[in-house]
């Protein structure tokens, strides 16, 4: 008799949990991070999955129905819903279907000058004193076409923008929750993460000062950069824990940017990036939650630092690093994921993909603590047949 | 009957919002539909304060 | 075999629908409007049911469980949730547990002077030109401790108040929807109404100008009062239809205030109150929705006007009028509800209540088009045993 | 570690809000709990804009 969705879900949750906790499940779990690819499978444009929250979430359910063998996946890997951001006038995206063609992926526009930065270099002290005050009164108004900071002349567009922010984000949260339930009941698939984290240094670099700004600041005001990471860290931890899985079964996710080895020296990583990231990760772990370190780019030189974290506190996702090297350095302490190159998924053939999956499973499966995924988030360039091949190969070879 | 400028269900008309865009490269209906969705919600909130609270 | 909740619900919905549409159902439906009484039955204070949206809604479900025989009831008869209104600083309530004892009912505070009015007499033209603009930019900011109108210096409390308004009301709407579903699945009870309406004249009198203000305005600027009712009417109709039952099975509600015969002359009613109320009721009826005319106070002199409305377009709820006279004047065109005096429910005994219910059912039941209810919304002064007697008597005598 | 004035999860502290009331005649915990509920939600919205959008 066919398994019920509930049985399938529990089987997959067990598999996912065990692999995340360095154990050997019955099968290597397939845990893809499929963004615009889900829309491609469901028949929706990038504009539709990015701008229409119902279709964006529906695409993931349709993907789970169309491609058997997905154990766990991200309910909103297209994590920005641009109709929500447009409702309150957010400035920093190029939106598919508006600024970009309907089949392009959304893009983050980082201000390029000190003048345009969402936080000015002279504002470090205010930020350090009270990051929440800064976000509410300075940062958010600056990122919106309509919002007005305190002290300036108010406008109707300002009032409406805050109202719409409240309504639209609240509705989006509810849609997310409903879709996690839909994935479970209609497809037996686990929502692979809940609660998002950024490293304090990353959030400062990405959203407040920009990469250029922070690069200069490391020389002109290094103490302030450090204090700013320390001031914002408790907010990062608190938000991640508050929005994490209440049952503590699935991990939160840490999308890692500027700690990759191409951006800054090891000294910068050690001094500015790692201490607060470590602290935040430990706080989250103390709250009973694992963190997926989704390490975009190359991290080889910095891998050794992660060994300082409590065993099983993270799952390390490998992008451009040699996954065999990652396994050697971190595999005794943390589960690892990744291993299928996105180039292969975009330009290769199903046979290539199956061969790669078989190899990964053969090499990592017997130890446990391995989850099959592409190297990076899968967008519309991934061939659907290659994605299906990935799932099929995991079903075929994964029970070892 | 008195003619009024305000149209029920509208706070920030799409025609005004659309002027902010140099171009809409994809499906305008999708953009319009969601702009109006949240605009209607804002309108309903405002009038819920009037009639429901 | 016991009926499933779904069967019970369908039976009750059929009964409710038929009575509303002047037909004779299998039983006279019991459709109480229980506010703080629900909390009393559930064991919650007025503060709890008014301030805590979860307990307020839970109280109604508990009441439906505790008192068998409720066919349809209002999911939130304590219609104001004061934690929502406090979140954005609404000024015009006395709140149980804050300004009032925990067991008092919330009270609306109407500004008593022109200076304090939420709309000034010189603002009629602006209101008439664009009521939505007025609500957004003038009225709502004036009713909130924190909100700032356009043109004035903005504050952080203003921005936060709009954000919280968006979040709190959105969440409240979702809780309402969830509780309507809960009433159905856990107790088989019909949510008796959806979508609220006020008469254009009432909304102007209650929320904008105040009773004193409008009384003066009828003499100093009668044309503007009339134009204001005409300007706001389309918004009343639109909002009611937009928030009504999508299936069109249950009516919306019109809580009737200043058209009662104690407040203004018949001439005022005919000229200022009735034309736009009639228009709005007809528009709602054209959209497929009945309106409960919940006629608070005495309406005898004005009853005849309601005969102009399309047959079955309203259900007339009788408060202080002689229900036999109401039946005589309106009973051939519209269903009627009410008939059990709140004084009797507060100070009488179950035997009195049963006798009254039996009489009402005997007199009105055979024709159909009658729904059992108290005269007015039931608050904490109603004795629980009298409410139970009402339900029991309806079960006992109602199948006629 | 740098000490910061802002407390995670708080935009408009209850201690400040409470000063608006001459008296709280009933159960203060109910009033406080719901004030903080919506305040936390506002905080989460603000930081969702920072980390999630």
């Amino acid at each position: 008799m066919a398994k019920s969705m509930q049985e399938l879900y529990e089987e997959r949750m067990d598999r996912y949990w065990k692999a995340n906790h360095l154990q050997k499940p019955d099968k290597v779990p397939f845990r893809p991070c499929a963004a615009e690819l889900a829309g491609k499978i469901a028949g929706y444009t990038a504009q539709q999955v990015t701008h229409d929250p119902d279709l964006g979430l529906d695409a993931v359910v349709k993907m789970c129905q169309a491609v058997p063998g997905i154990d766990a996946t991200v309910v909103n890997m297209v994590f920005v819903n641009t109709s929500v951001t447009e409702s309150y006038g957010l400035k920093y995206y190029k939106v598919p279907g508006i600024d970009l063609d309907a089949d392009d992926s959304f893009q983050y526009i980082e201000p390029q000058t000190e003048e345009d930065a969402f936080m000015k270099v002279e504002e470090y002290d205010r930020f350090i004193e009270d990051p929440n005050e800064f976000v509410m009164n300075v940062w958010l108004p600056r990122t919106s076409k309509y919002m007005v900071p305190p002290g300036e002349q108010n406008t109707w567009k300002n009032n409406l923008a805050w109202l719409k922010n409240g309504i639209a984000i609240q509705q989006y949260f509810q849609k997310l929750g409903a879709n996690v339930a839909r994935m479970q009941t209609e497809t037996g698939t686990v929502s692979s993460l809940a609660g998002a984290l950024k490293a304090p240094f990353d959030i400062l670099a990405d959203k407040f000062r920009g990469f250029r700004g922070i690069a200069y600041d490391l020389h002109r005001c290094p103490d302030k950069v450090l204090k700013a990471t320390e001031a914002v860290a408790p907010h990062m931890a608190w938000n991640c824990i508050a929005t994490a899985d209440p049952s503590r079964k699935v991990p939160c996710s840490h999308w890692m940017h500027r700690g990759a080895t191409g951006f800054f020296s090891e000294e910068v990583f050690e001094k500015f990036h790692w201490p607060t990231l470590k602290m935040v990760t430990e706080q989250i772990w103390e709250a009973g939650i694992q963190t997926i370190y989704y390490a975009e780019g190359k991290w080889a030189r910095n891998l050794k630092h992660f060994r300082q974290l409590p065993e099983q506190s993270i799952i390390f996702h490998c992008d451009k690093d040699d996954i065999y090297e990652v396994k050697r350095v971190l595999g005794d302490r943390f589960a690892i994921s990744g291993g299928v190159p996105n180039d292969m998924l975009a330009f290769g053939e199903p046979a290539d993909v199956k061969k790669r999956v078989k190899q990964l499973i053969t090499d990592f499966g017997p130890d446990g603590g391995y989850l099959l995924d592409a190297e990076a988030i899968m967008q519309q360039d991934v061939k659907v047949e290659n994605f299906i091949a990935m799932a099929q190969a995991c079903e075929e070879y994964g029970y070892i | 009957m008195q003619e009024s400028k305000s149209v029920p269900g509208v706070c920030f008309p799409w025609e005004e919002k659309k002027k902010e865009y140099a171009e809409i490269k994809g499906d305008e209906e999708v953009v319009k539909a969601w702009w109006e969705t949240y605009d209607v919600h804002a309108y309903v909130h405002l009038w819920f304060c009037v009639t429901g609270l």
Side-chain angles (χ1 to χ4, degrees), chain A, chain B:
Chain A
M1 206 176 97
K3 284 170 197 156
S4 73
M5 283 302 161
Q6 183 56 25
E7 287 166 335
L8 191 58
Y9 177 82
E10 284 168 13
E11 179 182 298
R12 285 168 168 171
M13 178 61 95
D14 181 67
R15 185 177 293 152
Y16 185 52
W17 193 92
K18 281 181 174 155
N20 282 337
H21 288 81
L22 266 181
Q23 296 176 27
K24 187 177 178 299
D26 63 329
K27 190 200 84 163
V28 168
F30 181 36
R31 187 222 59 195
C33 297
E36 288 82 359
L37 170 63
K40 191 172 173 179
I41 292 169
Y44 301 138
T45 62
Q47 176 182 7
Q48 286 174 312
V49 296
T50 312
H51 207 76
D52 183 323
D54 295 329
L55 296 188
L57 295 168
D58 183 60
V60 178
V61 174
K62 286 217 162 68
M63 174 182 78
C64 293
Q65 284 165 335
V67 182
I70 299 174
D71 292 297
T73 194
V74 186
V75 70
N76 65 329
M77 197 62 257
V78 178
F79 61 92
V80 169
N81 184 265
T82 52
S83 67
V84 170
T85 59
E86 283 298 301
S87 77
Y88 70 92
L90 186 62
K91 290 190 271 195
Y92 59 60
Y93 285 112
K94 281 191 186 288
V95 178
I98 300 178
D99 316 286
L100 304 168
D101 287 340
D103 267 316
D104 284 343
S105 300
F106 70 92
Q107 291 166 28
Y108 178 67
I109 310 164
E110 190 167 289
Q112 293 299 304
T113 65
E114 182 64 30
E115 197 173 54
D116 290 338
F118 296 132
M119 168 179 161
K120 317 299 179 195
V121 67
E122 62 269 23
E123 290 171 336
Y124 267 103
D125 289 342
R126 182 169 178 182
F127 179 90
I128 291 162
E129 188 181 358
D130 193 339
N132 191 53
E133 188 276 331
F134 191 86
V135 166
M136 181 163 66
N137 295 337
V138 182
W139 181 83
L140 189 60
R142 264 187 205 147
T143 65
S144 161
K145 288 179 200 171
Y146 309 129
M147 288 176 173
V148 171
E152 292 190 14
Q153 185 173 306
N154 198 18
T155 64
W156 66 271
K157 289 187 183 180
N158 174 62
N159 291 344
L160 199 56
W162 287 90
L163 177 63
K164 288 188 181 181
N165 179 295
I167 295 169
I169 293 179
Q170 196 59 37
Q171 285 199 345
Y172 186 63
F173 286 163
Q174 275 129 5
K175 285 178 195 284
L176 279 182
N179 229 56
V180 167
R182 228 190 120 199
M183 263 172 58
Q184 176 173 346
T185 56
E186 294 182 23
T187 77
T189 310
V190 174
S191 165
S192 59
L193 54 88
L197 176 69
K198 298 273 174 73
F201 183 86
D202 276 348
I203 209 74
L204 198 66
D206 289 351
K207 291 293 183 75
F208 292 86
R209 294 290 297 138
F211 180 65
R212 287 183 187 203
I214 203 93
Y216 284 117
D217 297 347
L218 286 171
H219 296 282
R220 59 186 160 191
C221 53
D223 290 354
K224 293 194 175 180
V225 174
L226 190 61
K227 284 184 178 173
T229 63
E230 291 170 356
V232 81
H235 296 276
M236 296 289 103
W238 196 97
N239 271 285
C240 184
I241 294 167
T243 56
D245 174 19
S247 78
R248 305 305 197 224
K249 281 186 185 161
V250 307
C252 68
S253 58
H254 166 34
W255 309 98
M256 300 164 86
H257 295 164
R258 301 304 189 182
T261 51
F263 294 114
F264 292 107
S265 69
E266 189 167 3
E267 291 66 38
V268 168
F269 180 79
E270 284 184 1
K271 181 167 179 191
F272 296 95
H273 199 119
W274 178 235
T276 45
L277 172 57
K278 178 170 178 279
M279 189 187 74
V280 168
T281 309
E282 286 172 348
Q283 282 177 10
I284 291 168
W285 176 240
E286 279 162 25
I289 304 154
Q290 292 184 297
T291 303
I292 299 174
Y293 269 32
Y294 198 93
E296 299 180 346
K298 271 193 184 243
W299 289 75
R301 196 181 59 203
N302 296 330
L303 287 179
K304 59 182 176 294
H305 297 288
F306 303 140
R307 290 194 60 85
Q308 298 164 24
L309 293 169
E311 198 176 304
Q312 297 183 35
S313 60
I314 66 166
I315 297 107
F316 191 87
H317 178 83
C318 173
D319 178 9
K320 288 297 170 202
D321 289 295
D322 173 0
I323 195 167
Y324 290 87
E325 175 67 6
V326 168
K327 167 82 175 169
R328 199 186 59 74
V329 178
L330 298 176
D332 62 325
R333 295 183 69 78
F334 312 115
I336 60 173
S337 62
V340 181
N342 288 54
D343 281 357
M344 181 187 280
L345 292 166
F347 303 110
E349 298 302 323
D352 307 325
V353 173
K354 285 200 163 185
K355 191 175 160 199
R356 175 69 179 176
V357 169
K358 186 177 183 184
Q359 190 66 53
L360 288 163
I361 286 172
T362 307
D363 294 337
F364 300 138
D367 289 348
Y370 172 66
L371 302 99
L372 179 67
D373 192 3
E375 287 180 351
I377 292 166
M378 288 178 270
Q379 297 181 303
Q380 59 273 62
D381 59 338
V382 167
K383 286 184 193 165
V384 174
E385 62 268 32
N386 285 344
F387 182 70
I388 292 170
M390 227 174 140
Q392 285 176 343
C394 193
E395 287 290 303
E396 197 170 330
Y397 311 119
Y399 292 90
I400 55 169
Chain B
M1 181 59 58
Q2 175 68 26
E3 284 299 314
S4 166
K5 261 175 66 179
S6 62
V7 178
V10 179
C11 295
F12 190 155
W14 168 247
E15 296 70 37
E16 288 305 307
K17 172 68 183 175
K18 197 182 159 184
K19 290 175 190 163
E20 292 177 7
Y21 302 126
E23 185 188 0
I24 293 178
K25 296 196 175 194
D27 185 348
E28 181 177 325
E29 282 309 305
V30 174
V31 185
K32 178 173 185 264
W34 281 96
W35 174 260
E36 290 185 337
T37 294
Y38 295 125
D39 199 59
V40 163
H41 280 296
Y43 173 89
V44 168
H45 272 239
L46 290 172
W47 286 87
F48 177 72
C49 295
V50 176
T51 61
L53 294 180

